[in-house]
Amino acid sequence: MDGLNRRKFLGGAAAAVAGASLPSAANAAIPTTTSQERVVVIGSGFGGGVSALRLGQAGIKVLVLERGRWWKTGPNAETFPHATTLDKRDLFYTAWPEINGKRIGWNPYAGLLEPFVGQGIIAVTPAGVGGGSLMYQGMTLQPSERLFKACFPQIDYAEMASIYYPRVAQMLQVQTAPDALVNSPNYQAARLFATKVTAAGYDLQKIPMPIDWNYALAELRGEMKPSYTNGDCALGVNNGGKHSVDVTYIEQAMATGNVTVEALHNVTSIARARNGSWVIKVDRTDETGTVLERKVITAKSLILSAGTINTSKLLVRAKARGDITGLPEGVGQGYGTNADQIYVWANDNENFGTAQGGPVVYGSKEWNDSSQPANTVIQASLPPPSKTSTSSALPSALLPSATAVADTTSSTKSTMLVGFGMSNGRGKFVYNWLTDKVELKWPSGGDAAAAKRIKERITAIAGPGAKLTNTNDLVNTTWHSLGGACIGVVCDQEGRVKGQRGLYVLDGALMPGATAACNPSMTIAAVVERALDLIVQNDIGTII
C-alpha cells in the first residue's frame, strides 16, 4: 500500500463492491442533491445545541444535521420505549447489517441507542434530536476547582464557575428533588442509600437534575401515568418535564429563525475541498434507515458535535483516507470512559421498594482526598419488570444491570449503584484499511485504579449481607465516552482544530478522557458555552 494512493484505491474498491452488490437501477433510484451553507453543525446534543443557539442568536444561519429522529413527549405520552419491553425503538438501525442497500434484522429503526463494539469495550452512543440528554440520568454536576484544573489546565476555572456553569444550570432549569417526593414510599431505595452513605462516613448530597419535579409529584397524585415515580425513565421520560437539549437549547435556537434542524440525516463522511470549504456527505433516511436521498453539502465552517464516538470516527477516517490533510497527530487518541462502573446492589434483608422512583436523588462525592482517585457514587432506580419478565429485554451489552437483577434476586430486593471518576486509562481510535471503518481499542484494566476505589466505596455503602454485581465484569460498557480530539492536543480551548480553518470540535471528543469526577454533560455544555462566546466575538466575519 505504500506505493499506492490509498484514497484512490479505497474509492475504486468501494465503487467495485457497490457495483457488484447493487443493481444499477437501485443506484439510480436514489437522487443526489447539492447545497451550500454558511455553518453546518453535525449532531444535536449538548455541544451541537449550544453551538446552534449561540450562533443563531448572533444572526448566523446554521444547519444542524441529526441522524436520529425527534422524540416529542408530554403527559401520558408513549414516545420512548420501556427498558423491560423489547421494542424496535431501542436500537439505532446501524446495529443491523446492510445488504444490497437494505437493513436486515429485527425491525431496523432510528432508535435511541447504538452499541459501538470495540476491543475491550462497548461504547453506547445516543441517536435523536437532543443527543444523550434524551435518556441520560440527568445528573448536572459542577466539578471542584482542583479537579477541573487537572482536566483543563488551559481554562480559567473562576470564569467557568462565575459565568458558564451557572448559565448551563439556568438553561437546564436544574433543581434537586423536593422532600415531599423523596419521603414518599416510591423513593424508599433513595432514602436507604442516603442512610447507608451516611453510616459509612461518606459525603451525601442531593444531585441537581434538569427536571421539573412537579411532574413526578403529579404522578404520585395519580394525574399522570408513572414514568419518574416507578423508575421507568432509563430510556427517556415519557411524561415530559425533563429539560433535555431538544426542548431547551434546540427549541430556542430554532426560535431565532436562523437555525434549521434536519433529523434523519446521517453524515457518512467529511472532507476539505481545494478552496478550503468543507464537504459533508449525508444520507437522508426514513425511520428504518433506508436511504431516500444523498446530499453533498458544502460549508464555510463545520462544527463536529456528533458525540465522542461519531466525531472521532469522522475525523480518523478523513485523516487516514487523506480527505482532510494536515490533521494533528493526536486525532483519535486520548479516549476515556470517565471510569464508568455500574453495579447491582442486592440484599435479601433489605426492601428497596416495589416501585423505585427516579431518576437520581442522592450522590456521594469523594473529591478532596488526593490519595484516592476522585469519584462519585449515585443510586439509580431500576425500572419495573415487564408482565412477562423480571429483567430488561434490551441486549445485555446495553443494560447488563437489569439482566444481572434477574440472575440475583427480585427487583424489590435490589437496586443500582453507579460510579464514575478520574481515570488514567486511555484508548484510541484506529482506521482499518481493509474494511474502511474506524475501530476502538481499549487497554485491559484501563480503569483499574478508579474502579478499585469505586468498588471499595460501594462495598462500604452496601454494607454486610449485600450481594454486589459489577456489570462491567459481565460486559465492559460505558455510556460516557470522551476524547479522540482532545483539547490542547487536537484543538485549542475553543474547539478549533489546529491547522484546519473553519473546523471545530465541540462535544465529548474535546474532553480529555474524563470530566473531573462528574458525569460529562454539564462540563461539555459549559466548555462549549465559553467557546461560543469567544467564537462569536472573534470568528464571525473572518472564519465564519
Side-chain angles (χ1 to χ4, degrees), residues 1-14 319-323 431-433 436:
M1 291 296 291
D2 290 342
L4 297 175
N5 183 314
R6 292 182 173 182
R7 184 176 176 185
K8 290 182 178 179
F9 171 84
L10 285 168
K319 184 177 190 294
R321 290 170 55 97
D323 295 335
Y431 180 71
N432 186 325
W433 290 100
D436 188 29

Side-chain angles (χ1 to χ4, degrees), residues 418-502:
V418 179
F420 42 84
M422 297 285 275
S423 171
N424 294 325
R426 296 294 180 265
K428 61 182 178 180
F429 296 90
V430 297
Y431 180 71
N432 186 325
W433 290 100
L434 296 178
T435 62
D436 188 29
K437 295 186 182 299
V438 175
E439 300 171 351
L440 174 58
K441 298 184 182 298
W442 177 251
S444 176
D447 287 333
K452 178 176 179 292
R453 182 54 185 165
I454 290 169
K455 181 178 181 179
E456 291 171 350
R457 293 232 296 141
I458 283 177
T459 300
I461 291 168
K467 181 179 180 181
L468 294 169
T469 304
N470 185 352
T471 65
N472 291 76
D473 292 338
L474 304 176
V475 182
N476 192 26
T477 308
T478 182
W479 296 66
H480 292 153
S481 290
L482 300 166
C486 297
I487 191 169
V489 177
V490 173
C491 303
D492 70 7
Q493 294 94 316
E494 287 79 59
R496 302 180 190 91
V497 179
K498 296 179 180 180
Q500 303 293 330
R501 184 179 178 86

Side-chain angles (χ1 to χ4, degrees), residues 69 71-82 89 215 219 223-228 232 235-241:
R69 51 160 281 197
W71 298 82
K72 301 288 189 180
T73 67
N76 299 320
E78 283 294 324
T79 305
F80 290 108
H82 303 276
R89 295 171 295 177
Y215 281 70
E219 290 179 17
E223 297 168 7
M224 301 178 193
K225 291 189 301 185
S227 186
Y228 292 104
D232 195 12
L235 297 180
V237 179
N238 274 312
N239 276 337

Side-chain angles (χ1 to χ4, degrees), residues 36 271-279 298-300 501:
Q36 293 184 338
R272 184 154 207 170
R274 289 184 177 180
N275 66 1
S277 62
W278 298 99
V279 181
T298 58
K300 184 175 183 180
R501 184 179 178 86

Side-chain angles (χ1 to χ4, degrees), residues 166-177:
R167 182 187 295 178
V168 173
Q170 182 178 24
M171 282 293 301
L172 301 180
Q173 303 170 59
V174 301
Q175 52 184 317
T176 58

Side-chain angles (χ1 to χ4, degrees), residues 30-50:
I30 302 175
T32 298
T33 60
T34 61
S35 62
Q36 293 184 338
E37 303 288 342
R38 184 168 182 180
V39 178
V40 168
V41 176
I42 302 176
S44 61
F46 283 100
V50 173

Side-chain angles (χ1 to χ4, degrees), residues 287-301:
E287 290 185 342
T288 71
T290 299
V291 178
L292 305 176
E293 178 186 4
R294 300 196 192 280
K295 296 186 176 183
V296 180
I297 303 170
T298 58
K300 184 175 183 180
S301 299

